[in-house]
């Protein structure tokens, strides 16, 4: 996992609620056996007419040149539905390093963090403020300070991040390294359980 | 203070609590399937590791398998590669696989309980959000991502933050024609598709106690559709009776000893939950969804809500967008609306009891000419039992197409898809845009309601059909 400390970037707004993982990456693209290449199918059915990559839907944000950046901003309950980690892989592979919303589904949140994609939970009011910004506006996210700032206005909110997960993100550590270091404790636990 | 059922099992499985962080939670049983495991196998191989406890992992192929001609090689190349890779991986790493052609093959959440692998008091995970199904036996069972599958491979543990607890009490008798699917659709409609996010739910009350294990599994299965980490029900005599004699269930004195342990698995009288919800069972009617998340559901004879009655702007926009996708009008009823497809299957409703209910209703009847009906048993064992009871004959007579075990049109990963723009009454768990195929329009309902629509060709109140019968 790559370390993530700070992001300053423009953002892509997706002001819809309950964006489920079937929209993020439809099931028919889950046949791969590696983690790569899912970005091209991110939001596939919202992005193209009749599943044809030659026919981009012009009203969808990913197809609008005025929007770009490493941050996706979406309505509440983002990532609900299936546990497919392919959703997080697709978001990362497309080039987003953070998703901002007022509410995340649990499994998606874990999956994102396990791949170095930061879920930033902000208040409804702050989310609306971000949506009102011009497409050229930038946001700054500081993982260590746990803050997100609208650069144009200086408005800032802090977000929650589990201290353990924060250390992982800042340093690019993953949970498996940690669990492997606890093997003796786990074996001891097993003996006591039986 | 007393402990909740959840706390009892959770506390027993915490290897270590990381300061200011999650807990290292020990996992008793790990189910895997072909779609969410290949990258995890690759991951541990890249780290030069073997599976830490391969005997505690059980595999099946379900998501991406054809449901016709399973004895032939899989036609879709990518699907074949994924299924072949599962076979290789299980072989290489010593994991028991109930793959295509095996008499135990089937949807992972159907086979776990029917084989007796799922047991009270266990921690169970699987790279699939509907793992909550297994909670019906009084287990902590939840879906995980592929990185977490890799964690279990490497250490038999996952890192988890303890969720809050919620108890949903359902009391009283159910109206005729109302089954467990209606109960859970009613709850989700009441508290919304995100209403239980951050919680682990225990379902309790006299209504729950009166339900069969199959019916309890349907309820726990859909816990995730209101955002819950999982759902569970305290084990009781019904649970033990279901389990006894199953392939993996303990035998002899071991059974007797386990039974003593299992009987202590309940929430203490003075246990405190972070949230409690009380539901009057009699208020529940046969349910159907009209939108593109499982929270957008209503009583089958109700009218679709008017958008201007919804105060929250986000929710209002959501409804308008959903109705546009569904091709439905606000304020209008669904009763009498023609449908083109019926799908009876999925980890929610593909067990023998579901098939029996459908068969009882359609026996001696024929499906409507304009409807295509797919019925997909959850496992080879369910299919075998259905055959033994002659249910397959009833379905064939009715003009239903009976297919082989798999996830099928619930998520449309294989060729079982609903065509764009058509309506499908489905016994599955999700009505998301494009879930059953690009452009498909899904109406979630119980197996009874689905069967009724198969016969009439339109959205039908099952109670009217039952009245006719009398």
């Amino acid at each position: 996992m790559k370390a993530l400390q700070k992001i300053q970037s423009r953002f892509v707004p997706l002001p819809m609620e309950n964006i489920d993982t079937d929209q993020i990456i439809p099931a028919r693209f889950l046949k791969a056996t590696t983690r790569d290449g899912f970005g091209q199918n991110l939001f596939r059915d919202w992005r193209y007419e009749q599943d044809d990559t030659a026919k981009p839907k012009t009203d969808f944000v990913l197809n609008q040149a005025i929007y770009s950046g490493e941050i996706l901003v979406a309505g509440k309950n983002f990532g609900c539905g299936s546990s497919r980690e392919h959703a997080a892989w697709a978001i990362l592979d497309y080039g987003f390093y953070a998703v901002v919303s007022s509410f995340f589904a649990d499994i998606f949140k874990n999956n994102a963090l396990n791949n170095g994609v930061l879920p930033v939970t902000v208040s409804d009011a702050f989310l609306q403020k971000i949506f009102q910004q011009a497409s050229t506006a930038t946001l700054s996210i500081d993982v260590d300070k746990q803050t997100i700032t609208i650069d144009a206005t200086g408005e800032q909110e802090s977000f929650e991040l589990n201290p353990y997960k924060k250390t992982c993100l800042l340093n690019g550590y993953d949970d498996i390294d940690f669990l492997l270091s606890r093997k003796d404790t786990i074996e001891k636990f097993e003996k006591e359980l039986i | 203070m007393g402990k909740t059922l959840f706390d009892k099992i959770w506390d027993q499985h915490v290897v270590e609590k990381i300061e200011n962080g999650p807990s290292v939670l020990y996992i008793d049983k790990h189910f895997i399937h072909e779609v969410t495991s290949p990258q995890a196998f690759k991951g541990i191989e890249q780290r030069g590791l073997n599976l830490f406890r391969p005997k505690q992992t059980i595999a099946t192929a379900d998501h991406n398998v054809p449901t016709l001609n399973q004895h032939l090689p899989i036609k879709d190349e990518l699907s074949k590669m994924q299924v072949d890779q599962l076979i290789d991986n299980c072989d290489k790493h010593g994991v028991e696989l109930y793959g295509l052609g095996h008499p135990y093959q089937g949807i992972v959440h159907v086979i776990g309980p029917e084989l007796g692998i799922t047991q009270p008091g266990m921690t169970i995970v699987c790279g699939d959000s509907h793992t909550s199904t297994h909670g019906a036996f009084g287990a902590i069972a939840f879906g995980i991502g592929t990185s977490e599958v890799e964690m279990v491979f490497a250490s038999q543990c996952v890192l988890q933050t303890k969720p809050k607890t919620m108890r949903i009490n359902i009391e009283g008798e159910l109206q005729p024609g109302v089954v467990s699917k209606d109960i859970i659709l009613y709850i989700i409609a009441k508290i919304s598709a995100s209403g239980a996010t951050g919680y682990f739910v225990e379902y309790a009350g006299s209504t729950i106690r009166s339900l069969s294990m199959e019916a309890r599994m349907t309820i726990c299965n859909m816990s995730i559709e209101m955002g819950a980490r999982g759902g569970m029900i305290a084990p009781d005599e019904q649970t033990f009776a279901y389990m006894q004699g199953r392939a993996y269930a303990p035998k002899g004195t071991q059974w007797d000893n386990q039974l003593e342990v299992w009987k202590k698995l309940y929430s203490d009288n003075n246990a405190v939950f972070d949230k409690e919800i009380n539901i009057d069972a009699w208020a529940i009617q046969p349910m159907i969804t009209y939108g593109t998340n499982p929270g957008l559901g209503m009583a089958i004879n109700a009218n679709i809500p008017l958008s201007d009655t919804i105060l929250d702007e986000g929710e209002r926009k959501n409804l308008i967008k959903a109705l546009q996708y569904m091709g439905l009008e606000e304020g209008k009823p669904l009763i009498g609306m023609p449908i083109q497809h019926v799908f009876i299957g999925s980890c929610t409703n593909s067990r023998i009891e579901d098939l029996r209910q459908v068969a009882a209703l359609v026996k001696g009847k024929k499906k409507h000419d304009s409807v295509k009906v797919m019925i997909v048993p959850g496992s080879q064992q369910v299919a075998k039992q259905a055959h033994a009871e002659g249910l397959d004959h009833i379905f064939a007579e009715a003009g239903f197409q009976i297919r082989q075990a798999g996830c099928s049109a619930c998520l449309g990963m294989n060729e079982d898809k609903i065509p764009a723009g058509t309506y499908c009454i489905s016994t599955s768990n999700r009505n998301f845009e494009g879930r059953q195929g690009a452009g498909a329009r899904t109406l979630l309902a119980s197996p009874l309601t689905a069967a009724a629509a198969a016969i009439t060709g339109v959205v039908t109140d099952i109670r009217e059909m039952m009245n006719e019968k009398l």
Side-chain angles (χ1 to χ4, degrees):
Chain A
M1 198 172 86
K2 258 173 62 182
L4 184 70
Q5 280 127 8
K6 280 181 183 164
I7 310 171
Q8 184 178 35
S9 162
R10 280 162 68 165
F11 64 94
V12 176
L14 211 49
M16 277 177 273
E17 296 185 354
N18 301 313
I19 295 175
D20 59 75
T21 51
D22 275 79
Q23 306 319 311
I24 300 171
I25 184 87
R28 62 186 187 280
F29 299 111
L30 307 186
K31 296 182 183 185
T33 52
T34 66
R35 294 174 187 233
D36 313 313
F38 289 101
Q40 57 183 327
N41 296 317
L42 176 68
F43 295 117
R44 174 82 181 205
D45 292 335
W46 287 351
R47 220 158 131 191
Y48 304 109
E49 298 284 357
Q50 290 128 33
D51 204 17
D52 185 349
T53 50
K55 293 184 194 159
K57 289 183 181 173
T58 51
D59 60 349
F60 187 61
V61 282
L62 293 191
N63 298 324
Q64 295 175 329
I66 56 162
Y67 297 114
S68 65
E70 297 173 350
I71 303 169
L72 178 68
V73 184
K76 77 171 177 203
N77 201 23
F78 185 84
C80 59
S82 147
S83 62
R84 61 187 70 164
E85 195 163 314
H86 312 64
W89 300 335
I91 286 169
L92 181 66
D93 189 53
Y94 186 86
F96 292 121
Y97 294 97
V99 184
V100 180
S101 177
S102 56
F103 197 90
F104 287 94
D106 274 339
I107 306 181
F108 175 81
K109 193 153 70 176
N110 277 347
N111 287 343
L113 283 167
N114 284 334
N115 287 280
V117 174
L118 177 67
V120 179
T121 308
V122 297
S123 67
D124 281 318
F126 197 77
L127 187 69
Q128 293 315 319
K129 274 184 197 156
I130 299 176
F131 284 138
Q132 285 156 15
Q133 300 300 309
S135 65
T136 51
T138 58
L139 304 174
S140 290
I141 296 170
D142 188 321
V143 178
D144 189 36
K145 293 199 175 109
Q146 295 175 231
T147 56
I148 175 168
T149 312
I150 301 172
D151 294 327
T153 63
E155 285 165 289
Q156 192 177 71
E157 235 185 49
S158 49
F159 57 85
E160 272 185 46
L161 184 61
N162 183 298
Y164 165 82
K165 276 290 172 194
K166 180 158 131 182
T167 310
C168 289
L169 268 182
L170 287 171
N171 299 289
Y173 299 156
D174 72 28
D175 290 349
I176 295 172
D177 297 329
F178 175 81
L179 285 168
L180 289 174
S181 76
R182 315 308 292 163
K183 223 158 207 180
D184 291 347
T185 321
I186 297 169
E187 279 177 345
K188 203 170 139 233
F189 174 87
E190 281 180 322
K191 287 198 187 99
E192 283 165 10
L193 192 70
I194 304 158
Chain B
M1 193 176 76
K3 273 182 158 186
T4 65
L5 169 62
F6 177 83
D7 286 338
K8 286 181 184 178
I9 303 171
W10 176 274
D11 291 350
Q12 209 181 26
H13 286 82
V14 173
V15 176
E16 183 184 354
K17 168 92 177 71
I18 304 171
E19 210 186 321
N20 291 321
S23 293
V24 177
L25 188 72
Y26 191 79
I27 300 304
D28 294 317
K29 284 283 181 275
H30 182 204
F31 293 103
I32 59 168
H33 60 81
E34 73 278 24
V35 178
T36 58
S37 68
Q39 293 87 350
F41 276 113
K42 214 161 266 177
I44 56 158
E45 284 172 6
Q46 276 165 359
R47 291 171 199 260
L49 299 170
N50 290 319
L51 257 65
F52 182 56
R53 295 289 179 252
K55 299 279 170 256
Q56 283 165 248
T57 294
I58 294 99
T60 192
D62 56 0
H63 279 64
N64 198 3
V65 299
T67 55
L68 288 176
N69 295 317
Q70 285 182 345
H71 63 289
L72 298 177
I74 300 174
K75 278 191 226 149
D76 182 287
E77 234 171 85
L78 286 174
S79 303
K80 182 174 184 318
M81 206 171 80
Q82 211 171 41
V83 173
D84 285 349
Q85 201 161 103
L86 181 70
I87 298 170
D88 282 353
N89 283 332
C90 289
D91 191 39
K92 217 187 317 177
H93 293 279
V95 172
E96 184 86 54
L97 167 67
Y98 299 132
L100 281 185
H102 195 284
Y104 288 171
Q105 182 267 339
I107 304 176
V108 60
H109 311 309
V110 175
I111 71 166
E114 84 183 359
L115 291 171
I117 300 170
T118 303
Q119 295 174 14
M122 280 183 168
T123 47
I124 299 171
V125 294
C126 173
D128 188 284
S129 58
H130 294 111
T131 307
S132 56
T133 312
H134 306 262
F137 291 79
I140 291 183
F142 54 92
I144 55 176
T146 299
S147 294
E148 292 166 313
V149 171
E150 198 179 328
M151 289 177 212
V152 183
F153 281 171
S155 68
Q156 204 56 37
C157 290
V158 287
L159 290 175
Q160 285 291 308
T161 307
K162 193 175 180 178
K164 290 180 280 186
T165 53
M166 180 191 290
R167 181 161 62 186
I168 302 182
N169 304 295
I170 307 149
E171 294 289 348
E173 224 180 303
L174 289 168
Q175 291 191 35
V178 174
V179 292
S180 69
K181 181 65 164 285
D182 300 306
I183 300 177
I184 189 66
L185 284 174
Y186 177 87
I187 295 171
I188 303 168
K190 204 177 164 84
I191 74 170
S192 93
S194 58
T197 303
Y199 291 91
F200 211 100
V201 176
E202 180 180 342
Y203 302 95
S206 61
T207 317
I208 294 292
R209 291 273 148 255
S210 71
L211 295 177
S212 70
M213 289 315 293
E214 283 89 347
R216 294 179 189 185
M217 283 188 254
T218 300
I219 290 183
C220 289
N221 172 276
M222 288 189 74
S223 303
I224 183 73
E225 310 310 336
M226 48 188 176
R229 204 73 187 83
M232 67 198 312
I233 293 170
D236 59 12
E237 289 307 324
Q238 184 105 253
T239 319
F240 310 139
Y242 177 97
M243 290 183 61
Q244 198 162 21
R246 293 193 181 255
Y248 279 79
K251 311 267 175 329
T253 51
Q254 251 187 330
W255 169 266
D256 297 334
N257 294 340
Q258 275 302 324
L259 207 55
E260 288 315 304
V261 177
W262 293 341
K263 282 180 177 169
K264 294 181 187 129
L265 293 172
Y266 51 82
S267 289
D268 295 331
N269 275 338
N270 53 350
V272 176
F273 290 79
D274 295 302
K275 194 170 179 179
E276 292 219 46
I277 293 176
N278 295 307
I279 284 169
D280 168 16
W282 194 254
I284 306 172
Q285 308 210 28
M287 296 286 293
I288 193 160
T289 66
Y290 51 85
T292 53
N293 75 59
L296 297 178
M298 63 182 191
I300 193 142
N301 52 8
N303 292 340
I304 297 171
L306 292 164
S307 60
D308 60 16
T309 60
I310 296 168
L311 299 174
D312 182 89
E313 195 193 334
E315 277 175 36
R316 187 165 59 241
K317 280 188 185 158
N318 216 20
L319 174 68
I320 294 168
K321 186 173 178 291
L323 293 180
Q324 199 177 0
Y325 177 85
M326 293 295 292
L328 297 172
E329 267 181 74
E330 53 183 80
K332 295 273 166 66
L334 282 178
I335 287 282
M337 185 182 84
I339 48 110
Q340 292 75 43
H341 294 267
V342 171
F343 172 64
I344 297 166
S346 88
C347 59
T348 313
N349 281 123
S350 64
R351 297 181 180 81
I352 190 67
E353 183 181 276
D354 302 313
L355 268 48
R356 283 180 190 142
Q357 280 177 2
V358 172
L361 192 86
V362 306
K363 191 175 182 180
K365 296 195 178 78
K366 291 244 180 286
K367 74 166 185 70
H368 194 272
D369 280 344
S370 61
V371 183
K372 283 190 181 141
V373 186
M374 230 192 269
I375 186 156
V376 187
S379 70
Q380 304 291 344
Q381 293 209 80
V382 170
K384 197 174 150 198
Q385 181 68 26
H387 177 70
E389 295 178 19
L391 307 184
D392 53 346
H393 185 69
I394 295 171
F395 299 141
E397 287 280 292
F400 291 11
Q401 189 186 34
I402 312 152
R403 301 177 81 110
Q404 291 166 294
C407 299
S408 184
C410 172
L411 81 167
M413 249 196 107
N414 66 355
E415 58 275 24
D416 305 350
K417 289 184 174 69
I418 306 302
T422 61
Y423 291 99
C424 176
I425 293 207
S426 177
T427 67
S428 57
N429 40 58
R430 288 188 178 133
N431 50 0
F432 296 156
E433 280 185 33
R435 169 90 178 175
Q436 297 196 284
R441 292 162 165 173
T442 304
L443 308 164
L444 300 176
S446 76
L448 280 180
T449 298
I455 304 299
T456 59
V458 296
V459 176
T460 302
D461 188 335
I462 174 70
R463 292 168 294 192
E464 283 172 22
M465 215 172 197
M466 291 165 78
N467 289 341
E468 268 170 40
K469 234 180 172 176
L470 300 171

